[in-house]
Amino acid sequence: MKQKLKELEQEAAKLRSTQQGAAAEEAEEEPAGEASGKEEADTRSVFVNNVDWGATPEELQQHFATCGTVNRVTILTDKFGQPKGFAYIEFLEADAVDNAIMLDNSELRGRQIKVMRKRTNVPGLKRGRGRGRGRGFYGAPRGRGGYYGGYGYGGRYGYGCGGYGYAPRGRGRGRGYAPY
C-alpha cells in the first residue's frame, strides 16, 4: 500500500513539473508575438463596407491594386455562407492604407463602397458586467414565470424580483390582505 502511494506521489510530481514547464513556454510565446503581430497587420488593413454580395475577393483585389500590393482579402460571411456585405483588405505596405482611403465612395459592382482604417479590437471593451437576473422588470419581459410573474415581474410589493423585497408564500395573498 505504501509503495502504491509513493508511486502515485511520484507520478503527480512528474505531472506537475510538465504542466509548469508547458505553462511557462506558453507565457513566453504568446503575449508579445500574437498581440503585436495582429496590431501590426491592422495598421496595414482597411475595412470596406457596402460590398456587393456577389463580389469576389479577386474583384476587390483588382479594385485596390492601384493602392499597393494586396496581401489578403477577407469577405465576412454569416453562418450560412452568405456574405455580410463588408470586407477587410490587408496590404503589404502601411502607406497603401492612405491610398486605399482615397477610394472611399468609389463604385464597385454598381455600389458605392465605404473605405476606412481597420480598427484594432480592445479586449473587454463594451462588455460590462451585465444586468443579470432579479433586477425588477428590467431583466425580463413582464409576465414570465409563476403566480406573481417569477423573476422579472417587478410588480406590487416587489413580488418575483429575485429576492428583493417581500415574496409571499402559499396562495399569494401578499401584504395588506384583509378578507373582511
Side-chain angles (χ1 to χ4, degrees):
M1 186 69 141
K2 288 182 181 181
Q3 186 178 0
K4 189 79 163 171
L5 183 64
K6 213 177 240 185
E7 288 175 9
L8 286 173
E9 287 176 356
Q10 288 174 352
E11 192 175 329
K14 198 182 294 184
L15 196 71
R16 261 188 246 116
S17 66
T18 56
Q19 286 177 343
Q20 288 173 352
E25 287 176 15
E26 285 181 19
E28 289 173 7
E29 293 173 2
E30 190 137 326
E34 279 294 315
S36 65
K38 285 183 181 179
E39 288 177 14
E40 195 269 328
D42 287 349
T43 60
R44 295 181 285 117
S45 302
V46 292
F47 170 76
V48 185
N49 201 359
N50 202 24
V51 177
D52 185 59
W53 288 5
T56 62
E58 291 79 19
E59 288 174 326
L60 282 165
Q61 184 174 359
Q62 186 179 10
H63 187 77
F64 287 94
T66 58
C67 305
T69 309
V70 176
N71 187 28
R72 178 185 307 162
V73 176
T74 308
I75 299 176
L76 274 80
T77 58
D78 62 8
K79 63 181 179 180
F80 303 109
Q82 297 296 320
K84 287 186 173 184
F86 55 90
Y88 292 104
I89 314 244
E90 183 184 326
F91 296 99
L92 284 177
E93 310 89 20
D95 59 336
V97 172
D98 296 324
N99 298 335
I101 290 175
M102 290 181 190
L103 288 177
D104 188 23
N105 295 324
S106 63
E107 201 167 291
L108 176 69
R109 282 185 146 231
R111 295 182 70 149
Q112 191 174 3
I113 59 172
K114 179 83 176 144
V115 182
M116 59 190 82
R117 290 183 189 278
K118 182 177 188 281
R119 66 176 179 83
T120 303
N121 282 337
V122 180
L125 189 71
K126 281 194 167 184
R127 276 241 170 115
R129 288 180 39 206
R131 297 200 105 162
R133 283 183 147 182
R135 297 280 307 233
F137 64 89
Y138 299 107
R142 291 181 177 262
R144 297 271 312 213
Y147 188 78
Y148 278 99
Y151 67 89
Y153 176 75
R156 195 170 169 207
Y157 306 123
Y159 298 151
C161 291
Y164 296 110
Y166 171 77
R169 293 179 184 241
R171 300 203 52 131
R173 292 196 172 109
R175 283 191 259 174
Y177 174 73
Y180 302 106

